[in-house]
């Protein structure tokens, strides 16, 4: 039945282009997936699908030598002379018998080490042969889930818009692309997608990317979230043991099959087999695996990369013709697997590149790339669809019209719009998908906190959202929020209106206004949840607040690639606030709360500011040098460029309404970057400097405040914007200042080599922080910590020991990193 179904579509394909089609099996008649099939002395090729079926383009009648190549099986060459198309060619492959009979062992060392050393010595020359090329590229990606629970952490999961069957199993992503790619060392890359198809969405654009699939084991490391060391890296012998598993011949070429064995299992390493051509010292094939622990994605169980190469006589080189990435994952009781197929053809290793060949646009789509019909795909798809994939396309494409109908969308909304008894405290959302609008109510449960100004306080909000396109790039939003504090007995309201015009230049304009309590440091370094815990249980009321009554207009836009502009103008009325409660959860003999005055913590009668009015304007330019990006007709996705830092230039101006002492101008510049050191980890730095003009008499609100931390709890992924032992407002300034933060995450490079500890898959992190202001002596911190702590698949904890130095004194403390708090919005 499977072959009949495939042949039916093969005949349809033949109407578009002549093809050789068939099925590849083993000697037990079992289908072989991902067999490489190509015409001799050409780059015309394909691979079999999951069912062993293939379709190979043949442009005209005549004699062809068709080569079938699959790791672990004998390469087979078939000579055929088609007179009609489609021409059916079914073959059976025999398992390759490897032997060590011809291997001469002259020392106690395994012969594999000689082969690996020769290949390492040849590595740079092999890379040079791949220094520039163009090629045609085909990709197909698939994600499938099974045993999906109906609820995760109490939240309804749904059926992924009909993607899951009655067993809670189904394909949630299926997409393919046909594109033209170009590469020039060291890192110039461009991809133009000619055709893009997404199952169930005829307007969709695929997320498949040739650049992300460009894995070269000739490089020292391979980026897979973490930098994994290649078995033939210059330092590969420090990470792997090798064993010659056997040899076989590809024509006259002797191929060595070598087993790759990590010396330390939790290093950033691979295990499996590599195939190396004797004397050429080039790759014939890759069959390597790694784990979620190695790439530091705990929910991934296993990840396998297979690569196949063919000999190019013209260039005297073995070139990659296909690649398969398979992975399995599991989280929250849900299991799944995925597969990414890549097929390379029509290489040109002597391209005539010009200065205009490469731009910062590394991926683009041709007009109508997502509008290709089934006849186009049947005639140009190099790898046939499996039965499962074919059924998914048919099912979802047939449902697409239904899913856009009012009846269907209303039925989905009816189910999703159900109220529960707890909605009043947890929140509620009502959506009208057909008319493209929704109303959301944010309940007070997650937003209930405590501070000494308001006492127990909570907020709730109501928002209306309207979108004008299916991709939600053109959006209108209106929202109102109410906040009430019991001890203060004060109800405040804020409201905002936002218009997001597109996702190409990201033009956005918003209006906001109302009354709220605000931290003196506008970056709000103290999370309300952490302040609540510190205040109620340790009597550490670090959060200092004032009342802000305001009206504000904001603008932001990417003026051109790499330059983002942000501007705002606001009228602000600032009023002082005082403590209104001394409530604690566990009362001690004497409650030791400080006042709400950050300048005088023991002064409960006087405030840090007087009531005043000011017009505050800001303009901020963010410059990303050499910024790379993806684009399609609807959106632009910036992916940065780690070769260069990000520069931010900021100017703020305050104009007092009545008292000129509050007039000021502040300028600031910052430079930050993430630098990869391969398998040795990542280095982060963030440098800032600024100054005030006419800042002597300004309000304490407008001082430069630095992000301190007295709670001993960290929430960010790294600490390049915080001093973990510095008091929140002790170093605030209205004069010139400089701060610098550096941090290096070794990503297992150090701890992964220590016996016993390397089984824990921990990361060593070291950092240093420095602050200089005109009024005070320099302040500095150094830190050493362990990241990637946790249990099982949940690795969201970190512990650092931090030592601070100021004015001849020193102190130290542990900082407990709870990165999950940021994830859950606390």
């Amino acid at each position: 039945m499977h072959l009949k179904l495939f042949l039916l579509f093969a005949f349809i394909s033949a109407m578009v282009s002549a093809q050789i089609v068939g099925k590849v099996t083993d000697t037990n008649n079992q289908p072989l997936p991902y067999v490489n099939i190509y015409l001799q002395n050409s780059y015309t090729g394909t691979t079999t699908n999951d069912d062993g079926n293939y379709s190979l383009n043949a442009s005209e009648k005549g004699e062809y030598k068709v080569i079938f190549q699959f790791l672990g099986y004998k390469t087979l060459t078939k000579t055929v002379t088609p007179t009609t198309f489609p021409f059916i060619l079914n073959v059976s492959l025999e398992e390759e018998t490897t032997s060590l009979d011809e291997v001469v062992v002259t020392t106690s060392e395994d012969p594999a080490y000689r082969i690996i050393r020769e290949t390492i010595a040849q590595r740079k020359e092999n890379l040079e042969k791949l220094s520039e090329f163009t090629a045609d590229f085909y990709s197909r990606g698939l994600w499938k889930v099974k045993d999906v629970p109906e609820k995760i952490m109490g939240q309804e999961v749904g059926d992924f818009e009909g993607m899951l069957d009655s067993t809670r199993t189904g394909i949630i992503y299926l997409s393919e692309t046909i594109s033209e790619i170009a590469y020039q060392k060291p890192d110039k890359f461009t991809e133009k997608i000619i055709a893009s198809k997404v199952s169930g969405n005829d307007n969709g654009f695929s997320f498949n990317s040739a650049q992300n699939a460009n894995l070269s084991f000739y490089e020292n490391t391979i980026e897979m979230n973490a930098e994994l060391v290649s078995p033939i890296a210059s330092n590969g012998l420090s990470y792997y043991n090798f064993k010659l598993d056997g040899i076989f011949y590809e024509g006259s070429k002797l191929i060595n099959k070598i087993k790759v064995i990590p010396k330390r299992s939790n290093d950033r390493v691979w295990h499996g087999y590599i195939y190396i051509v004797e004397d050429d010292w080039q790759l014939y094939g890759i069959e390597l695996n790694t784990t979620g622990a190695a790439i530091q994605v705990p929910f991934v169980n296993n990840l396998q990369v297979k690569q196949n190469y063919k000999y190019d006589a013209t260039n005297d080189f073995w070139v990659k013709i296909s690649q398969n990435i398979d992975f399995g994952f599991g989280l929250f009781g849900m299991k799944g697997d995925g597969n990414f197929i890549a097929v390379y053809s029509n290489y040109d290793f002597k391209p005539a590149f010009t200065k205009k060949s490469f731009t910062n646009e590394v991926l683009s789509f041709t007009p109508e790339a997502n509008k290709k019909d089934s006849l186009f795909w049947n005639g140009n798809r190099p790898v046939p669809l499996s039965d499962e994939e074919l059924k998914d396309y048919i099912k979802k494409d047939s449902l697409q019209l239904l899913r856009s109908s009012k009846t269907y969308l209303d039925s989905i909304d009816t189910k999703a719009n159900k109220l529960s008894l707890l909605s009043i405290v947890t929140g509620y959302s009502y959506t009208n998908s057909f008319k493209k609008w929704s109303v959301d109510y944010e309940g007070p449960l997650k937003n209930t906190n405590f501070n000494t100004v308001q006492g127990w306080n909570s907020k709730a909000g109501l928002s209306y959202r309207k979108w004008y396109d299916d991709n939600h790039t053109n959006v209108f939003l209106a929202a109102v929020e109410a906040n009430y504090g019991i001890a203060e007995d004060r109800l405040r309201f804020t409201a905002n209106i936002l218009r997001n015009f597109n996702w190409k230049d990201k033009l956005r304009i918003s209006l906001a206004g109302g009354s709220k309590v605000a931290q003196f440091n506008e970056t709000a370094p103290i999370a309300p949840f952490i302040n609540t815990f510190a205040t109620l249980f340790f009597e550490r009321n670090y959060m200092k607040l004032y009342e802000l009554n305001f009206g504000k207009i904001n603008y932001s836009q990417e003026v051109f690639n790499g330059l983002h502009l942000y501007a705002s103008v606001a009228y602000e009325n600032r009023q002082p606030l005082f403590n209104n409660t001394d409530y604690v959860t566990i009362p001690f003999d004497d409650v030791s709360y400080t006042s709400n005055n950050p300048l005088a913590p023991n002064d409960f009668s006087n405030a840090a500011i007087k009531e005043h009015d000011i017009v505050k304007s800001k303009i901020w330019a963010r410059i990303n040098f050499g910024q790379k990006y993806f684009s399609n007709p609807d959106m632009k996705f910036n992916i940065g460029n780690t070769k260069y830092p990000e520069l931010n230039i900021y100017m703020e101006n305050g104009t007092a309404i009545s008292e000129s002492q509050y007039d000021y101008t502040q300028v600031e510049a910052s430079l930050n970057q993430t630098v990869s050191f391969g398998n040795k980890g990542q280095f982060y730095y963030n440098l800032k400097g600024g100054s005030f003009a006419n800042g002597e008499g300004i309000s304490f609100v407008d001082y430069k405040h630095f992000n301190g931390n007295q709670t001993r709890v960290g929430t960010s992924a790294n600490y390049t914007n915080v001093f973990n032992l510095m008091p929140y407002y002790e170093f605030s300034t209205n004069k010139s200042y400089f701060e610098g933060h550096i941090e290096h995450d070794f990503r297992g490079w150090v701890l992964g080599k220590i016996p016993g500890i390397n089984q824990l898959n921990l990361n060593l992190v070291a950092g240093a922080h420095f602050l200089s202001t005109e009024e005070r002596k320099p302040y500095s911190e150094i830190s050493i910590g362990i990241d990637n702590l946790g249990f099982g698949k949940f690795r969201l904890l970190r512990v650092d020991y931090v030592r601070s130095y100021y004015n001849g004194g020193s102190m130290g403390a542990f900082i407990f990193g709870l990165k999950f708090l940021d994830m859950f919005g606390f």
Side-chain angles (χ1 to χ4, degrees):
M1 177 61 188
H2 292 175
L3 183 57
K4 289 179 181 178
L5 186 63
F6 165 72
L7 290 177
L8 171 64
F9 279 86
F11 277 103
I12 295 174
S13 302
M15 298 176 187
V16 182
S17 64
Q19 291 182 331
I20 300 172
V21 301
K23 191 179 187 75
V24 182
T25 60
D26 62 15
T27 53
N28 295 317
N29 205 34
Q30 295 300 307
L32 292 176
Y34 312 127
V35 176
N36 288 285
I37 305 145
Y38 57 91
L39 301 179
Q40 190 178 60
N41 299 323
S42 81
Y43 285 118
T44 300
T46 183
T47 70
T48 57
N49 62 19
D50 281 338
D51 304 320
N53 298 319
Y54 74 94
S55 173
L56 179 65
N57 284 339
S59 59
E60 57 188 30
K61 298 174 183 179
E63 184 179 280
Y64 294 97
K65 290 185 182 297
V66 185
I67 298 174
F68 297 82
Q69 180 195 44
F70 191 45
L71 292 179
Y73 289 78
K74 292 181 179 179
T75 297
L76 178 66
T77 302
K78 286 283 189 179
T79 301
V80 296
T81 309
T83 57
T84 61
F85 292 99
F87 181 84
I88 300 173
L89 177 60
N90 299 323
V91 301
S92 176
L93 299 185
E94 297 179 15
E95 287 192 41
E96 183 68 72
T97 302
T98 59
S99 170
L100 292 174
D101 293 344
E102 299 182 32
V103 179
V104 178
V105 181
T106 58
T107 69
S108 60
E109 184 181 63
D110 192 284
Y113 286 90
R114 174 190 65 84
I115 300 165
I116 292 297
R117 289 191 185 98
E118 294 281 9
T119 307
I120 291 174
Q122 185 80 6
R123 186 182 65 85
K124 288 186 178 180
E125 184 176 331
N126 290 336
L127 275 173
E128 187 62 31
K129 291 181 178 180
L130 291 169
S131 61
E132 61 178 16
F133 63 83
T134 61
D136 292 338
F137 178 79
Y138 169 80
S139 71
R140 183 154 78 232
L142 180 147
W143 284 61
K144 184 167 61 177
V145 295
K146 60 182 179 180
D147 302 328
V148 178
E150 294 187 0
K151 290 185 177 182
I152 294 179
M153 300 181 69
Q155 299 297 312
E156 293 280 353
V157 175
D159 64 356
F160 293 87
E161 295 188 348
M163 295 182 184
L164 304 183
D165 60 21
S166 58
T167 65
R168 309 286 295 168
T169 297
I171 295 174
I172 59 173
Y173 176 76
L174 172 59
S175 177
E176 52 189 331
T177 64
I178 295 174
S179 58
E180 298 171 349
I181 62 174
Y183 169 78
Q184 187 177 59
K185 74 170 188 179
D187 56 5
K188 292 181 179 179
F189 196 96
T190 184
E191 177 178 12
K192 181 185 290 185
I193 294 181
I194 308 301
S196 170
K197 184 174 179 64
V198 179
S199 183
N201 185 356
D202 60 11
N203 288 315
F205 292 96
S206 175
F207 288 102
N208 300 349
S209 164
Q211 187 173 26
N212 291 337
N214 189 31
L215 308 181
S216 174
F217 284 83
Y218 290 119
E219 299 284 356
N220 280 323
T221 59
I222 297 94
E223 169 63 33
M224 301 291 290
N225 185 62
E227 297 277 355
L228 274 63
V229 179
S230 169
I232 55 172
S234 57
N235 59 344
L237 291 169
S238 300
Y239 287 84
Y240 298 98
N241 293 318
F242 300 95
K243 180 181 179 181
L244 182 60
D245 197 67
I247 63 171
F248 60 92
Y249 284 89
E250 171 86 12
S252 62
K253 298 285 188 178
L254 187 151
I255 312 298
N256 299 285
K257 181 181 180 182
I258 298 175
K259 188 173 184 179
V260 178
I261 308 163
K263 290 186 174 182
R264 297 168 295 273
S265 59
N266 277 338
D267 259 349
R268 307 295 173 252
V269 290
W270 304 88
H271 64 274
Y273 294 91
I274 59 173
Y275 299 76
I276 295 175
V277 184
E278 186 80 13
D279 295 329
D280 292 346
W281 311 124
Q282 296 172 21
L283 292 172
Y284 170 85
I286 291 287
E287 199 170 15
L288 293 173
N289 299 268
T290 190
T291 64
I295 64 175
Q296 298 214 321
V297 182
F299 61 82
V300 171
N301 301 321
N302 183 67
L303 186 147
Q304 182 184 67
V305 175
K306 287 185 178 181
Q307 292 181 344
N308 288 275
Y309 296 73
K310 69 178 286 286
Y311 182 65
D312 181 342
T314 303
N315 295 284
D316 188 26
F317 190 71
W318 291 79
V319 297
K320 182 170 63 177
I321 56 174
S322 71
Q323 175 178 279
N324 297 288
I325 300 176
D326 293 275
F327 57 92
F329 60 91
L331 188 67
F332 296 121
M334 175 177 61
K335 300 176 183 177
D337 56 71
N339 171 261
F340 186 89
I341 303 170
V343 177
Y344 301 82
S345 60
N346 297 326
Y347 279 104
D348 179 1
F349 289 102
K350 296 180 180 179
F353 288 143
T354 67
K355 290 183 178 180
K356 296 182 179 180
S357 296
F358 297 95
T359 67
N360 288 323
E361 185 178 37
V362 297
L363 185 149
S364 63
F365 291 76
T366 60
E368 305 298 315
N370 63 334
K371 302 297 183 184
K372 306 296 184 183
D373 60 20
S374 58
L375 288 178
F376 171 88
W377 283 102
N378 290 334
N380 291 277
R381 178 187 290 121
V383 183
L385 298 172
S386 67
D387 286 352
E388 182 182 41
E389 292 165 339
L390 180 59
K391 290 175 182 176
D392 188 73
Y393 271 135
I394 293 173
K395 173 188 173 183
K396 290 178 181 173
D397 288 350
S398 64
L399 289 175
Q400 183 177 353
L401 186 59
L402 172 64
R403 285 206 299 262
S404 62
S405 69
K406 184 177 186 302
T407 302
Y408 176 83
L409 292 174
D410 286 349
S411 68
I412 295 297
D413 288 342
T414 299
K415 184 177 180 180
N417 290 341
K418 287 182 179 178
L419 278 164
S420 71
L421 292 175
L422 295 178
S423 293
I424 193 170
V425 293
T426 59
Y428 173 72
S429 179
Y430 181 90
T431 301
N432 188 320
S433 300
F434 185 75
K435 294 186 177 180
K436 296 182 172 63
W437 62 267
S438 66
V439 174
D440 294 281
Y441 162 68
E442 184 180 15
L445 182 63
K446 195 177 77 170
N447 298 307
T448 298
N449 294 289
F450 182 87
N451 62 64
T452 53
V453 172
Q454 296 177 287
W456 283 106
N457 65 92
S458 190
K459 64 180 181 181
L462 191 67
S463 63
Y464 167 81
R465 189 171 186 268
K466 171 70 177 176
W467 57 98
Y468 299 93
D469 64 334
D470 292 336
N471 292 320
H472 295 234
T473 61
N474 190 347
V475 176
F476 171 81
L477 176 71
V480 62
E481 184 178 270
N483 176 278
Y484 178 72
I486 295 176
E488 190 188 26
D489 192 22
R490 175 75 185 275
L491 179 66
R492 296 180 174 87
F493 290 94
T494 58
N496 70 83
I497 297 173
L498 180 146
R499 186 73 165 86
N500 196 98
F501 291 90
N502 62 73
W503 271 86
K504 294 289 283 185
D505 66 4
K506 303 172 182 63
L507 174 60
R508 174 179 292 189
I509 295 175
S510 66
L511 296 170
S515 178
K516 64 179 182 179
V517 294
Q519 296 186 43
F520 284 95
N521 185 344
E522 67 177 358
T523 63
I526 314 170
F529 174 80
I530 294 175
N531 181 74
T532 298
F533 188 83
T535 302
L536 293 177
F537 293 95
F538 300 100
E539 301 175 22
R540 308 294 188 188
N541 58 321
Y542 294 120
M543 184 181 286
K544 306 303 177 185
L545 305 166
Y546 71 99
E547 180 173 292
L548 175 62
N549 305 299
F550 69 102
K552 186 176 184 180
I553 182 170
N554 297 282
Y555 154 86
S556 65
Q557 186 176 17
E558 185 176 19
V559 180
F560 54 82
N561 182 53
L563 175 62
H564 296 74
L565 286 184
Y566 306 83
S568 67
V569 177
Y571 167 81
E572 298 183 0
N573 167 261
R574 291 99 167 252
Q575 298 184 20
L577 296 172
F578 297 88
N579 288 352
N580 289 290
T581 180
D582 59 3
Y583 170 81
V584 292
T585 302
I586 305 174
F588 294 96
D589 293 338
D590 183 26
V591 175
S592 57
Y593 284 146
T594 57
S595 73
N596 191 47
N597 185 340
L599 297 174
N602 296 315
D603 186 346
F604 290 84
S605 301
N606 298 297
I609 63 170
K610 296 179 180 179
E611 181 178 358
H612 60 281
D613 300 290
I614 194 170
V615 174
K616 195 171 184 178
S617 58
K618 301 180 184 178
I619 185 167
W620 165 28
R622 190 180 85 227
I623 304 170
N624 298 95
F625 299 103
Q627 178 176 268
K628 305 295 185 182
Y629 64 93
F630 298 165
S631 70
N632 64 42
D634 298 324
M635 301 180 189
K636 177 175 181 282
F637 302 92
N638 297 323
I639 57 175
N641 189 335
T642 56
K643 288 177 58 176
Y644 305 105
E646 176 185 285
L647 173 65
N648 290 270
I649 301 173
Y650 169 94
M651 185 173 72
E652 180 177 291
N653 188 77
T655 303
I657 300 299
S658 56
E659 301 179 54
S660 61
Q661 72 185 65
Y662 293 119
D663 292 349
Y664 74 96
T665 298
Q666 179 193 2
V667 293
E668 181 180 282
S670 70
L671 208 61
N672 65 84
Q673 188 179 8
T674 300
V675 182
S676 174
F677 283 86
N679 68 308
K680 297 175 182 62
Q682 288 187 313
F683 176 76
Y684 310 90
Y685 70 84
N686 187 11
L687 309 176
K688 299 180 184 179
S691 187
F692 286 81
N694 193 36
E696 290 76 11
I698 64 175
S699 167
F700 187 69
V701 172
D702 299 313
Y703 275 49
K704 171 63 181 179
H705 304 293
F706 305 98
N707 293 333
N709 183 10
Q710 294 173 267
T711 65
R712 305 298 185 259
V713 175
T715 61
S716 55
N718 61 63
Y719 297 141
T720 55
N721 196 34
V722 62
F723 296 92
N724 269 314
L725 296 185
M726 191 177 76
Y728 292 103
Y729 295 105
E730 185 174 331
F731 291 86
S732 298
T733 184
N734 57 353
K735 301 184 184 301
S736 299
Y737 57 89
F738 171 81
E739 66 173 305
H741 307 266
I742 61 173
E743 184 173 289
H744 191 90
D745 184 344
F746 289 92
R747 302 296 293 271
W749 185 63
V750 175
L751 299 182
K753 295 178 174 60
I754 303 175
I757 292 178
N758 60 7
Q759 300 302 309
L760 301 176
N761 197 28
L762 303 176
N763 296 340
L764 182 69
V765 185
H769 313 265
F770 178 81
L771 174 66
S772 174
T773 62
E774 283 190 30
E775 308 98 313
R776 293 177 176 270
K777 292 183 177 180
Y779 173 91
S780 62
E781 294 179 356
I782 58 173
S783 62
I784 191 81
I786 297 175
D787 199 0
N788 206 41
L789 291 164
F791 309 93
K793 299 181 184 299
F794 300 95
R795 297 281 185 146
L796 298 171
L797 304 177
R798 170 177 171 172
V799 175
D800 291 76
Y801 179 74
V802 183
R803 191 101 197 152
S804 67
Y805 300 90
Y806 174 65
N807 199 25
S810 170
M811 66 171 289
F814 285 96
I815 301 297
F816 299 92
L818 309 178
K819 293 183 285 185
F820 61 87
L821 291 178
D822 264 359
M823 292 177 56
F824 294 108
F826 289 105

